[in-house]
Amino acid sequence: MEFPKFLLGDNTDYPTAIFVVHTEYPRFIINLENDEVEWLEDFSTEDEKELESEAEGLIEQAGEFYDREVSRYEE
């Protein structure tokens, strides 16, 4: 099964949280309420160096995805 690059998620146990799930490597979930990121991958030391350079862009894309999705609901 193919998934979109980003998915929105919510949970009634966290009523103010806004979760965005990144489904491609490196997979992560970000809570846009507090910018907390949970990585769903195990990284080697070498991977961590590459991840640092990619992470900022991916997190920015997650925020842009959320903004785009919300604007579509408002239309």
Side-chain angles (χ1 to χ4, degrees):
M1 173 185 299
E2 267 189 58
F3 294 107
K5 184 174 183 174
F6 292 103
L7 298 169
L8 286 178
D10 66 353
N11 187 299
T12 56
D13 292 334
Y14 302 90
T16 60
I18 302 166
F19 297 106
V20 175
V21 182
H22 181 252
T23 64
E24 298 176 357
Y25 184 84
R27 296 172 305 142
F28 64 86
I29 300 171
I30 182 170
N31 180 349
L32 296 178
E33 176 187 36
N34 57 16
D35 292 333
E36 185 177 336
V37 176
E38 179 71 30
W39 297 98
L40 305 175
E41 311 283 356
D42 293 323
F43 300 107
S44 69
T45 305
E46 293 172 0
D47 290 340
E48 287 179 16
K49 292 176 184 174
E50 183 179 330
L51 178 65
E52 288 176 13
S53 63
E54 277 188 60
E56 186 175 328
L58 290 172
I59 291 169
E60 185 176 314
Q61 288 176 31
E64 290 169 357
F65 164 77
Y66 173 76
D67 291 342
R68 185 192 77 187
E69 291 298 299
V70 168
S71 73
R72 288 178 176 177
Y73 286 119
E74 293 172 350
E75 291 177 356

